[in-house]
Amino acid sequence: MLNDLMIPGIPKNLFHLISVNMAGSKATVRVDNQYTFTFPITNGVRQGDALSSVLFDLILEAVLQKVNIIGHIGTKSTQTLTYADYVVRVSRNKNALKDTLVNIESEARKRGLRINENKTKYMEVTRAASNSDHLPCGKYEFEHVKEFNYLGSQLNQTISTNSEIQARILSGNRCYYTYGKLMKSRALNRSSKLKIYKSLMRPIVTYG
């Protein structure tokens, strides 16, 4: 872990400070409004700790640096897109995709991270009809889907924006009906209603 944190330039003394902060962590679990005995946390980080997500992102960055994420899909066969713990691997062909997935899984395993097979999906982007099966990769088999939601956007294998536009419209309509009484109220002037629209409704439709 020390070497991984040194990659983005974190000072060694700050790493030791983090280690001291994490050492000796203990936890207890509440079940039916009763607490279990206290037990030490010997692996990972404290649940809900603000530092936990930062450390996870830094370790994940170290994993991806090992598989070379420099460049773009126009100059190389594969590319990685990441946001927090959401990782998308874009590839021109299945073999290149499998190779990079194997490398990512290997580097992640060294650091105690595991790929969630149930949450990982495979989609083939093509304008033609696609009957692809699930994607086998080492000990994993990733489910083939025709569309999925990524960071609030609806993506599909035909690169059609119709479903995404319809989803945004529906979200906007739901938001409008939620604040319908306020928008129809005579107690609010036009300026106040515009503020509600701009701050609460429009961002939902134009998210991302």
Side-chain angles (χ1 to χ4, degrees):
M1 184 175 177
L2 175 58
N3 293 333
D4 291 336
L5 293 181
M6 296 296 286
I7 292 177
I10 295 179
K12 192 173 182 179
N13 58 344
L14 182 56
F15 169 80
H16 290 306
L17 183 60
I18 294 173
S19 299
V20 171
N21 181 58
M22 291 295 180
S25 298
K26 297 181 179 180
T28 183
V29 179
R30 186 174 68 179
V31 181
D32 294 332
N33 291 325
Q34 293 184 345
Y35 289 91
T36 65
F37 58 90
T38 301
F39 56 90
I41 300 176
T42 56
N43 291 315
V45 293
R46 290 192 294 264
Q47 185 70 23
D49 193 325
L51 189 59
S52 301
S53 58
V54 176
L55 292 175
F56 174 81
D57 287 341
L58 290 173
I59 298 302
L60 182 59
E61 175 68 15
V63 171
L64 297 176
Q65 288 288 347
K66 291 289 185 178
V67 294
N68 185 17
I69 61 173
I70 300 174
H72 55 79
I73 198 64
T75 59
K76 55 192 302 185
S77 60
T78 60
Q79 184 180 3
T80 301
L81 309 174
T82 60
Y83 181 84
D85 59 341
Y86 292 91
V87 180
V88 173
R89 193 68 181 176
V90 182
S91 179
R92 294 179 182 177
N93 58 74
K94 288 185 180 181
N95 290 333
L97 179 61
K98 289 181 179 180
D99 290 341
T100 53
L101 283 174
V102 169
N103 291 336
I104 289 176
E105 197 277 335
S106 176
E107 291 296 331
R109 191 175 354 99
K110 295 176 183 177
R111 296 159 176 82
L113 301 179
R114 297 289 185 272
I115 294 177
N116 190 322
E117 186 174 4
N118 294 328
K119 292 185 178 181
T120 304
K121 309 299 179 183
Y122 160 71
M123 185 175 74
E124 184 177 3
V125 179
T126 173
R127 293 189 181 277
S130 174
N131 296 315
S132 296
D133 296 324
H134 297 337
L135 180 70
C137 182
K139 63 179 181 180
Y140 298 102
E141 185 174 75
F142 302 121
E143 178 187 1
H144 173 261
V145 295
K146 295 183 178 180
E147 64 178 16
F148 68 95
N149 189 286
Y150 178 69
L151 298 181
S153 295
Q154 196 70 24
L155 307 179
N156 58 71
Q157 64 179 16
T158 60
I159 325 177
S160 171
T161 58
N162 291 335
S163 60
E164 170 68 3
I165 292 173
Q166 290 300 319
R168 297 294 180 92
I169 292 174
L170 288 174
S171 296
N173 287 338
R174 283 195 294 266
C175 183
Y176 173 79
Y177 286 118
T178 299
Y179 299 101
K181 290 184 179 180
L182 292 177
M183 299 301 289
K184 296 176 182 179
S185 174
R186 294 184 178 181
L188 297 177
N189 57 29
R190 179 183 176 86
S191 176
S192 297
K193 292 178 181 179
L194 280 174
K195 289 180 179 179
I196 294 175
Y197 164 73
K198 291 180 180 179
S199 61
L200 298 175
M201 298 181 186
R202 189 165 67 183
I204 290 180
V205 179
T206 59
Y207 172 78

